Amino acid sequence: MSQPAPSLRALEHHDAFLERHIGPNEAEIAHMLDVIGQPSLDAMTDAIVPTSIRSADPLALPAPIDEHEALARIRGLAKKNQVFRSFIGQGYYGTRTPNVILRNILENPAWYTAYTPYQAEISQGRMEALINFQTMLSDLTGMDIANASLLDEGTAAAEAMTLAKRSAKSKSNVFFVSERVHPQTLEVLHTRADGLGIELRVGPDAEAAQADSFGVLLQYPDTFGQVHDHAALADAVHARGAVVAVAADLLALTLIRAPGEWGADIVVGNTQRFGVPFGFGGPHAGYMACRDAYKRSMPGRLIGVSIDAEGNPAYRLTLQTREQHIRREKATSNICTAQVLLAVMAGMYAVYHGPEGLKRIALRTHRLAAILAAALGRAGITVGPDFFDTLHVVDVDADAIHARAREAGINLRTIDSNSVGISLDETSSRDDVIALAQLFGATVDDIDALDAATANALPAGLLRTSDYLQHPVFNTHHSEHELLRYMRALADKDLAMDRTMIPLGSCTMKLNATAEMIPITWPEFANIHPLAPAGQTQGYRELIDGLEAMLAEITGYDAVSFQPNSGAQGEFAGLLAIRAYHQSRGEGHRDVCLIPESAHGTNPASAQMVGMRVVVVKCDRDGNVDVDDLRAQAEKHSDKLAALMVTYPSTHGVFEEAIVEICEIVHQHGGQVYTDGANMNALVGVARPGKWGSDVSHLNLHKTFCIPHGGGGPGVGPCAVKSHLAPFLPRAFGGEGKVGMVSAATHGSASILPISWMYIVMMGAAGLKRATQVALLNANYVAKRLEPHYPTLYTGRNGLVAHECILDLRPIKDATGISAEDVAKRLIDFGFHAPTLSFPVAGTLMVEPTESEALHELDRFIDAMIQIRDEIRAVEEGKLDREDNPLKNAPHTATMVTGSEWTHAYPRELAAFPLATLKRQKYWPPVSRVDNVHGDKNVMCSCIPIDAYREEEADA
Ligand SMILES: Cc1ncc(COP(=O)(O)O)c(C=O)c1O
């Protein structure tokens, strides 16, 4: 008898996303539950998550859909955006992402799934790319040093303001801002200045010389396109002991004098037009370059050159002990996640084009602008003088021009009723010039003839004469093969999630699924200017509204702002909301922010930035908030209490039982509860902060909601609030609202929101809950299996952890001299990225496996950790030397283990292949242990001179 055919229904849904996202299958889950002694996922969840916060009902989200249907739906949303030719400018310009960079960096998981390069030895590739970025910036701006990177131009300008405040001789409290800076920059400056009590004075450039201020900010070329000679002004500002900050356009700097050549102390800006699409506002890499004297006060991450254990040049994050790290509650910058992926792209754009190519793009852009200006001039239309790429067209009927432009599928910049702005860029063409001229009733019959008759419009005295980008890296990889292989060689040096799990506690390095990534490069999302008229961005509107509704449901809050473009920015926005709420009730004097001692460094820094005073609350022996101390502090500061910032589950990886009581105590004393949502991956579908008493949270979409970490950004840190705080979310550009903008674009890094949208619609309510449960299971499985080898520092009730566990290496170090860092570096020999090192407790490793890791991968990691423990034991028992052992000397490079001499007291094989399986697949770190002390003593943050490469070759 033939078998009955399976039903159609049984055969459907073969492509459910859930099974692709979650690592372990049913059998593996059953096995792991067994290991941790729990009968089911639900029973395990009951045993871990306090009953007082458990959600009674499932999330009210639409049923999950598969990848193909989700892509079809989001395609429908994309189609509702209209891509016009954009000449809006105002800090954002059309650009062509070289296809080789698009596919091999932006769309390549080897780059986008990497983490911030804290573990230097496995991050040499992206740090080289970032050194290129920094070198490009210091060259073009004429400054000594540049960072990699900041969040956008507006926030970079705000960072310049606070850097100036920290560095200026002048004791004035005034920061003078040219009225000709981009308006969104001014908005962000107002928000930041307000929080820090800095007085912002805005006026014509000429007044900057007289104003008594600690610093000034100029725009070069200015927002209306004009290029000014600021040299005399800079001298006058310096004479008063104040600092000159300049927001500069990088493409213009290939043609005009570098700010560093005429007196700038700090230069900031956006690198977007170096190959990064508009994205409706972001993400793009902001930048800061400055004088060497300021380097120790500079915000953001800085890549530097040091040496490894064998004396070879090696990159590392340098001067890490700045701002948040040491100044903590005194810090005036909270930047953590930045825009690494976009910085890598911008740096590669410079590598691809080289100095000549960039100059050519700039000159061509300028020619098109000059020709357009000439055409308009012939038709009697006035255009401002001395421009690079932007024309300020005055004395016109702006409404009529905009209407005509829209009909032609063109967007111009709105300025006022009788002027418009037109910015040309790399993508502009002859046809564009003809079409633009026509909008004003001007005709261009023979563009070549007009070209021949038109002079350049850059001021003669400001033409650039100095060289830039002379380093070989910018002059070698110009053919596609060369660049392709260069990028591949760099990627091969690094460990990203396309090769191994990255079990970084507090970072939630989960799957960044391909289907989630696909929409972000569609032109309908990528090629929309942040100031495109609302009628053209209906698709974005629906996407953002939809995501807001889903996140509100998931968190239990009522409203969400997507403007913050990192978690730390979300904290800043949330605290601003709290401050404005207190002010609205006549309680503006409330300025005390209670923060547990275990908090992430961004928490106190953000509190400081909104003008709150940080009062530290103790933690008890189990890592929980010490409720007695909290109560005492809340009582002591009752009249002044503004907020408590608490991370939940705690940074110690446990669900504190007392969270509801904690919220009540704070509310009783008139404070608001801020829950840092970085650990939301332990909560989705299980508990909702907005329902247990919290008032506001930021989420890290680049953790829980699948936006890849990009090697250190981009991120999205939406700020979610209860309804009473909703009126105090950051306002839109040009919009109403009590609280100003926290980043330069209304919707922050809008073009990566499709990633989180896709994740949620493909998972559905049950899928999201299961992801949380498997994240808890995976962490507990790792903790349980490692228990006999490494003690877990903190556990919650029933001896279980949340979604991460802290392994305590301190007793091991005391007994053997082997430190957490040695273990982290030895893991590299096993092909692993280390867990989080020494946060939140020094001398520990925090492991967060996430739900996306399959049992096989967890076991591989556990086996490596056990093997390492055996090596430590061998040290303890004297079988391995205390100093000359594979842990202290890790990681081992191929050169080390294949050198003609081997002087170590253990075999080469143990160094390279501590597990037999590694013989089949081996990651070779490109450098051995990087010397941190050398790097901080000899700060060097641009490309290694070619001589150093030569020395290396000679040594080889
Ligand atoms: C607990 C916690 N809070 C806040 C942040 C800051 O987020 P971001 O790096 O996106 O600024 C982090 C980032 O690692 C974190 O772990």
Side-chain angles (χ1 to χ4, degrees), residues 23 42 71 73 93 265 321 391 572 590 681 715 757 775 801 816 831 843:
D42 284 338
L71 280 169
R73 281 216 200 148
Y93 307 89
D265 302 298
T321 46
L391 308 182
F572 179 56
R590 288 188 175 273
N681 209 42
W757 187 95
V801 296
T816 65

Side-chain angles (χ1 to χ4, degrees), residues 336-337 506 566-568 571 600 602-603 647 651 676 678 698 700 702-703:
C336 185
T337 289
S506 205
S566 72
E571 292 170 21
H600 194 259
T602 51
N603 288 191
T647 304
T651 45
D676 180 324
H698 79 268
N700 291 62
H702 46 301
K703 297 184 179 183

Side-chain angles (χ1 to χ4, degrees), residues 135-171:
T135 306
M136 167 188 94
L137 292 168
S138 9
D139 274 15
L140 288 175
T141 58
M143 305 304 291
D144 300 320
I145 196 164
N147 72 7
S149 51
L150 292 176
L151 293 165
D152 57 27
E153 181 163 325
T155 55
E159 297 287 352
M161 172 175 73
T162 51
L163 175 57
K165 183 94 175 95
R166 293 194 286 276
S167 317
K169 285 205 194 86
S170 163
K171 292 291 158 254

Side-chain angles (χ1 to χ4, degrees), residues 729-796:
L729 285 172
R731 63 174 165 252
F733 177 68
E736 304 283 304
K738 297 183 174 62
V739 174
M741 296 179 80
V742 295
S743 77
T746 298
H747 301 293
S749 293
S751 68
I752 51 175
L753 295 178
I755 300 171
S756 301
W757 187 95
M758 287 285 292
Y759 173 62
I760 298 171
V761 302
M762 292 191 294
M763 294 291 278
L768 288 172
K769 180 177 173 192
R770 193 169 175 83
T772 303
Q773 292 181 307
V774 177
L776 297 174
L777 174 65
N778 279 2
N780 278 285
Y781 176 75
V782 172
K784 186 76 188 174
R785 282 215 47 214
L786 288 179
E787 201 172 61
H789 312 279
Y790 303 90
T792 297
L793 188 54
Y794 302 111
T795 51

